Each structure stands twice: as structure tokens, then as C-alpha cells.
Amino acid sequence: LLSEVLDWNFIPFTIIREGPYGIGSVQQFVEHNPRENYYTLTQDEANHAGRSNELQTIACFDLVANSTDRKPNHLLVDAANKLWSIDHGLTFHSDTKIRTVIWDFGGKRIAKSHLNAVRNLARQLESPEGRVQELVDQLYPDEVTSLQRRIEWVLDEGKYPGLPGRARRRRD
């Protein structure tokens, strides 16, 4: 829902279902090469540059959603060369926990288009309706409050955070 509301649409269709072990989510399978992952996508400088906007979008999403479990294999490329982001089970926690594999953009400005999408979300959260209301309905009140705080933080900072305690990864 968040990806749709932000109009970023890089998450496969996902629904909530109750199964034999309780309530969970089911995500549409993306046919992909399992040998490709974040590291293989970024090891080649030209490929990394070509995917930069997509990766920055996902990194911004991870900040807003508080995605705390971004692993290299959670980025998939389908046969049409579309980049997908999967496995969002650890998101929206009320405590901000930046845990991602995508640290390449630490200290860089977040694109205006991304900030505009986040700003638009902030306005929609003031009087939620439609898909934004659906999103709010899936969260606990403290998670909604934390989402709003993270949005304010992202908009105030306007740049990607760096990896705590480490220098940025060099590409040479």
C-alpha cells in the first residue's frame, strides 16, 4: 500500500491471508535469476549507475517504512529488467531502526521527486482516505505516529543517512 500511495510500485502484489499458522502476507512470485542480488547489481559501475534512481527510491522507501530487514536477496530483477523489492515483514515498527544493505547513497540528497512523493503522503495522512486509509488501518496508532515522525525526519534531513560508525563504501 505504501509503495502504491507513493506511486513507486516496485513491490509485487501482496495480500494478507490467514493460514494454518495465523495471519501473514502472501506476495506475488517474481520470476528472476536467484544468482542476482543487490551486490551483483551494484558490482559493475555502469549497472549501478543505471539502477541508481531505482535503488535510491527503494532506499527512501526503506526510511519511510522503517524497513529493518533489507537483505541483498530482497532485490530481484525480472525478465523485463524491472527491479522489484520483496520481503517487507519487518516494517513500520514504532522504533526507528535503519537496517539495510543499501548504504551507497549515505550523505547524498534525496531526489526532489522522492521528497515530493513523501510530502504528498504527509498531507494525505492528515485526513486519510482511500488507499492511505487502508494503510493506516493496517497499522497500530503508535506505528502511524512513528510513520509521521519518520516522514518529518526524511523531509527535514533531505538526504540519506550514512552507515553509523563507518565510512561510505568506496567504488574503486
Side-chain angles (χ1 to χ4, degrees), residues 41-115:
L41 291 173
T42 60
Q43 69 187 2
D44 176 299
E45 187 67 37
N47 190 32
H48 184 266
R51 294 250 182 232
S52 182
N53 188 57
E54 294 169 291
L55 292 168
Q56 287 182 45
T57 304
I58 293 170
C60 187
F61 173 90
D62 285 350
L63 292 175
V64 173
N66 198 22
S67 182
T68 63
D69 193 34
R70 171 70 58 216
K71 302 277 192 312
N73 292 331
H74 295 175
L75 298 174
L76 312 176
V77 179
D78 69 12
N81 204 33
K82 178 175 172 54
L83 184 64
W84 294 93
S85 169
I86 64 163
D87 193 0
H88 300 91
L90 297 176
T91 52
F92 296 106
H93 194 281
S94 58
D95 295 332
T96 300
K97 303 174 183 183
I98 303 169
R99 296 183 188 143
T100 182
V101 71
I102 307 174
W103 290 108
D104 296 36
F105 308 110
K108 291 186 179 180
R109 303 241 8 111
I110 298 173
K112 284 185 182 181
S113 61
H114 297 131
L115 292 174

